[in-house]
Amino acid sequence: GSNSPSSSPASSPAGAMAQTVGVTSTSEAANVATQPVPTPVEDVPNGVRTAAGWCWRMIVIAAFIYGLYQVLHAASEVSVPVAVALMLTAAMWPLANWLSRHHIHRGIASGICLLLLVILVGGVFTLVGAQIALQWRQLGDQSVASFKQALQWLAKSPLHTNEAQLTHLMQKAEAAMAGSQGRIASTAAAAAGSQIGRFGAGLVMALFATFFFVYEGDKLAEKSAVLIPREHRAAILDAAKRGWVALVAYVRAAVIVAFVDGLGAGIGAAIIGSSMSVAIGALTFILAFVPIVGALTAGVVAVGVVLVTLGFFKAFIMLIVFVAVMQIEGHVLQPFLLGKAVSIHPLIVLLGIAVGAIISGIVGALFAIPIVAFGVAFIKALNPETPANEVPPNHDDLAAEHT
């Protein structure tokens, strides 16, 4: 009846073994509970998953760009004048700001800028048209004389071209032109009538849009900012401002470079005695707004005109003049004027022009580089990893130096 230690279950061998087994089972269960559940092994490598994520995002971006292009292309009679107005606004923006800082009302400053633009462009085209009209007969006579010289050269060349064969080919060409003259004239008149009407409507729209962009473009941008989510609004507006500064710098540089190109080509043509020097200078000025390709095209046309009217030697001099002008443009003007605001590699310029020309022809080639200039500055400003010395400025340094 006594409770001795030897008779307790815990002190017996069987009880001690059972207690040990219980403790071991409990610890094993705790260890099993605390061990993490192994995740199933996936068959898709991490690199493939990353590439797939990039691919579908790029597809979404490409689809958005394609849809936007289709909308702008369908409404080209509105989108092209608005794009032209933006370029004109960027060209006149420093002058409008300068007038505003000198206590001239913004509306009056915008009107002055637009009036100067109309006078400048209208004066250039009027002068070119007047020179072509006055020199048309002389140009025709010089062309005929140069053509006869070319025929004489072909007759005496190693090709041994017979003069009778050349005359026969000329007669066939004249007969073909005479037979289709009526059809060509009617088609050209119809096309010219519709194109002139569209051009006039687009020109008026571009001028009106330019006035309001210069007058209250900053207010329009602020009102449009409500479409941007609030948490990203400040960063996107800052990047857009830096992109606009880069665009203004690019357009200003393009205008100055085009003026220098046209002036150099016109002076060179006048020195060698060309009667079309003003027309050559104006054509060079207009085509120089298309980087690289425009100046090359203007040079080919100018050299061709001089070759037809003045002969091979003076055409060669005209070629030297254009090469010198392009060297000054590439090595002096563009590095100084573009500076930090617009840093675009020449390969990107060439590819941008090519893609723009493939997509939208002349219009695409004209607007490709301004879009690239704005886009590069915009992306650099949004990228937090952009080095501090490569972040585009948020104000126009060159314009501020001359206030």
Side-chain angles (χ1 to χ4, degrees), residues 189-201:
S194 62
Q195 293 298 325
I196 289 174
R198 295 176 62 183
F199 177 79

Side-chain angles (χ1 to χ4, degrees), residues 110-261:
S110 303
I112 292 174
C113 292
L114 194 63
L115 182 61
L116 290 176
L117 174 68
V118 173
I119 292 174
L120 177 62
V121 176
V124 169
F125 279 102
T126 302
L127 186 61
V128 171
Q131 187 184 42
I132 292 176
L134 291 175
Q135 302 293 333
W136 184 257
R137 184 179 297 276
Q138 182 181 358
L139 181 63
D141 295 339
Q142 291 176 345
S143 301
V144 171
S146 298
F147 185 70
K148 289 181 179 179
Q149 292 178 359
L151 292 180
Q152 294 175 359
W153 180 84
L154 286 174
K156 298 177 181 179
S157 67
L159 299 176
H160 302 291
T161 305
N162 191 354
E163 186 174 355
Q165 295 177 349
L166 295 175
T167 305
H168 178 66
L169 291 176
M170 290 178 58
Q171 291 176 351
K172 289 180 63 176
E174 291 177 357
M177 291 294 295
S180 59
Q181 184 175 4
R183 186 179 73 254
I184 293 174
S186 60
T187 304
S194 62
Q195 293 298 325
I196 289 174
R198 295 176 62 183
F199 177 79
L203 179 62
V204 172
M205 185 182 300
L207 292 177
F208 270 100
T210 301
F211 173 79
F212 286 108
F213 286 162
V214 176
Y215 177 38
E216 50 184 4
D218 50 352
K219 296 180 181 178
L220 294 175
E222 291 177 0
K223 292 179 180 179
S224 302
V226 297
L227 301 175
I228 305 173
R230 187 179 299 274
E231 60 271 16
H232 303 295
R233 186 176 302 171
I236 292 179
L237 286 178
D238 179 72
K241 183 178 181 180
R242 297 176 188 272
W244 175 254
V245 171
L247 181 60
V248 170
Y250 170 79
V251 174
R252 178 185 59 234
V255 171
I256 298 176
V257 168
F259 176 77
V260 173
D261 288 351

Side-chain angles (χ1 to χ4, degrees), residues 36-172:
V37 179
T39 57
V41 179
E42 297 184 0
D43 296 332
V44 181
N46 190 31
V48 176
R49 290 171 56 86
T50 303
W54 275 100
C55 286
W56 73 259
R57 288 175 174 86
M58 295 299 294
I59 290 173
V60 171
I61 294 173
F64 172 77
I65 295 175
Y66 178 77
L68 181 62
Y69 166 75
Q70 291 296 330
V71 172
L72 295 177
H73 181 71
S76 60
E77 295 184 3
V78 176
S79 60
V80 173
V82 170
V84 172
L86 287 174
M87 296 299 103
L88 296 176
T89 302
M92 295 185 293
W93 194 259
L95 177 60
N97 288 341
W98 184 84
L99 292 173
S100 298
R101 285 192 296 268
H102 287 75
H103 309 292
I104 298 178
H105 188 268
R106 187 72 179 187
I108 300 176
S110 303
I112 292 174
C113 292
L114 194 63
L115 182 61
L116 290 176
L117 174 68
V118 173
I119 292 174
L120 177 62
V121 176
V124 169
F125 279 102
T126 302
L127 186 61
V128 171
Q131 187 184 42
I132 292 176
L134 291 175
Q135 302 293 333
W136 184 257
R137 184 179 297 276
Q138 182 181 358
L139 181 63
D141 295 339
Q142 291 176 345
S143 301
V144 171
S146 298
F147 185 70
K148 289 181 179 179
Q149 292 178 359
L151 292 180
Q152 294 175 359
W153 180 84
L154 286 174
K156 298 177 181 179
S157 67
L159 299 176
H160 302 291
T161 305
N162 191 354
E163 186 174 355
Q165 295 177 349
L166 295 175
T167 305
H168 178 66
L169 291 176
M170 290 178 58
Q171 291 176 351
K172 289 180 63 176

